[in-house]
Amino acid sequence: MFNDHHYSHTFCVALFFLLLSLIPRSTSLRFIGLTYSAPTATPLPPPPETISAALSTLKVNSLRLEDPDPTVIRTFLYTNVSLFLAVPNYLVPTMASNRSSTLRWLYTHVVPFYPRARITTISVGNAFLDSYPQSASALLPAITNLHLSLRDLGIRKITVSTSFSFVTAISTPFPPSSAQFQEPPGINLIGPLLQFLRDTNSSFLINVYPYNLYRLKSEIPLGIALFQEHPFNFRDDLVTGVRYRNLFDMMIDAVVSAMAVAGYESIPIVVTETGWPSSSTAANEVEANLGYAEIYLKGLVKHLRSGIGTPLLKDGVKEVYVYEMFDKKEGTSPSSRSWGVLYANGTTKYRIDFSSSKSNYLLEGSWINVALRIQ
């Protein structure tokens, strides 16, 4: 039988998260964008000039570039498209130990183009701890060096951060109120990083894949992962009394809770990757199909466009980037998945209204709207 101390503790936790949910947060106009990365499949996607022209025609505004190619960046000079750049993981240890390598990267990818190209954010690595766990101690020095190098160049409006994978960064995500950050073994990273983000007005970047968590947690109903609106599609956080009707919100609020526990609840959150695979070569991944991928993307866009945020983050996340623009081979493993919104030849897969208004774009056979402004 629970004692009075238990009830008191539970009440305090519930009160804490109730107050957290009422905290006003300053966020800019939210949008959903797409990731563009170099293809490994054929036929090749259109040249950068074609992508730029399509973005201009569709009045789109944001693109995340993995391992950015300067020729792609150049095509967005004097446009209204904002660019999010990512430093490849293999460069992070070098940037941590050598400021000159950081400056070389900036002189190749930023200095020739900024501010004529609207570069807004640089992520130092992407889920770096997953790929280079032995180099975890290099991550914060690399971020700091890049930030200081930008300041040395007189560039103060580009924010610097790094992205994490949800499943490795967050412990005990269910219920969301119980979530905390997982530190790399032997490294004090999260607290100093969050302090850096707060000091520099930067965002916390996280890859949020409901598909991956659904695969890991057999108790998660498929409908909740797919934004399906059914009467019994919900899960309750018994500590906070919050009812969740989709897995995306549960994952975001787990991040919010972890940040609050660490004492940094006011830092904006950016979802650097999300999506649902339209196919998989693994025989047991039957949920990776075109139908479910379209349902997920439509549900995501509808949810973000509603502006209702999450139970603990009333203004919602600052930005969301869908992974990814084109299909490509994700390695040679027997479980390779296709995440593209476009096929490798540039034609579209889905009938989804990606516009910011209620008018409908029928996108079959045309270039898709890569980013939209959520009004």
Side-chain angles (χ1 to χ4, degrees), residues 98-111:
N98 191 338
R99 282 281 295 278
S100 62
S101 68
T102 304
L103 284 168
R104 280 198 300 272
W105 191 89
L106 291 173
Y107 272 109
T108 301
H109 297 88
V110 175
V111 174

Side-chain angles (χ1 to χ4, degrees), residues 18-294:
L18 173 62
L19 294 174
L20 172 65
S21 69
L22 300 176
I23 293 175
R25 293 167 182 265
S26 176
T27 58
S28 60
L29 197 61
R30 294 179 298 282
F31 59 84
I32 179 171
L34 210 67
T35 294
Y36 174 87
S37 54
T40 56
T42 57
L44 294 175
E49 295 80 5
T50 303
I51 298 173
S52 178
L55 295 177
S56 177
T57 300
L58 295 170
K59 299 179 181 179
V60 299
N61 64 3
S62 188
L63 190 63
R64 175 173 169 263
L65 299 174
E66 286 190 324
D67 195 0
D69 183 341
T71 60
V72 175
I73 299 173
R74 186 180 301 278
T75 63
F76 294 101
L77 297 177
Y78 305 110
T79 70
N80 66 347
V81 177
S82 63
L83 301 177
F84 178 123
L85 309 184
V87 174
N89 285 335
Y90 68 87
L91 288 178
V92 173
T94 304
M95 284 189 171
S97 59
N98 191 338
R99 282 281 295 278
S100 62
S101 68
T102 304
L103 284 168
R104 280 198 300 272
W105 191 89
L106 291 173
Y107 272 109
T108 301
H109 297 88
V110 175
V111 174
F113 315 114
Y114 183 84
R116 296 171 298 158
R118 295 179 55 195
I119 301 169
T120 61
T121 309
I122 300 175
S123 174
V124 179
N126 178 33
F128 176 76
L129 298 180
D130 294 7
S131 301
Y132 293 81
Q134 73 281 4
S135 300
S137 61
L139 186 55
L140 188 56
I143 294 169
T144 304
N145 278 346
L146 187 63
H147 170 76
L148 293 176
S149 296
L150 284 169
R151 293 300 184 267
D152 290 344
L153 294 168
I155 299 173
R156 297 184 175 275
K157 293 186 178 180
I158 297 178
T159 60
V160 179
S161 188
T162 188
S163 69
F164 292 89
S165 168
F166 179 90
V167 295
T168 55
I170 303 296
S171 67
T172 57
F174 299 104
S177 60
S178 67
Q180 296 186 44
F181 286 115
Q182 298 187 97
E183 287 278 11
I187 303 295
N188 180 24
L189 171 65
I190 300 299
L193 172 63
L194 293 174
Q195 184 65 51
F196 169 86
L197 298 179
R198 184 162 69 181
D199 291 345
T200 59
N201 295 317
S202 301
S203 301
F204 184 80
L205 313 180
I206 186 89
N207 299 338
V208 175
Y209 286 103
Y211 176 80
N212 290 343
L213 197 58
Y214 164 78
R215 294 274 306 163
L216 290 173
K217 304 284 186 179
S218 59
E219 68 272 20
I220 298 174
L222 178 62
I224 288 180
L226 289 173
F227 292 97
Q228 293 296 279
E229 298 177 358
H230 299 306
F232 298 104
N233 264 359
F234 64 85
R235 286 293 183 271
D236 291 335
D237 187 327
L238 298 180
V239 175
T240 60
V242 170
R243 174 160 292 182
Y244 289 93
R245 295 192 177 275
N246 67 77
L247 185 54
F248 182 85
D249 280 0
M250 295 176 73
M251 296 172 76
I252 296 300
D253 276 3
V255 177
V256 173
S257 298
M259 292 176 64
V261 169
Y264 294 90
E265 62 275 1
S266 62
I267 296 174
I269 297 171
V270 170
V271 176
T272 36
E273 291 184 11
T274 191
W276 194 280
S278 60
S279 66
S280 172
T281 56
N284 64 337
E285 293 194 35
V286 295
E287 297 87 357
N289 61 64
L290 274 170
Y292 287 164
E294 183 170 7

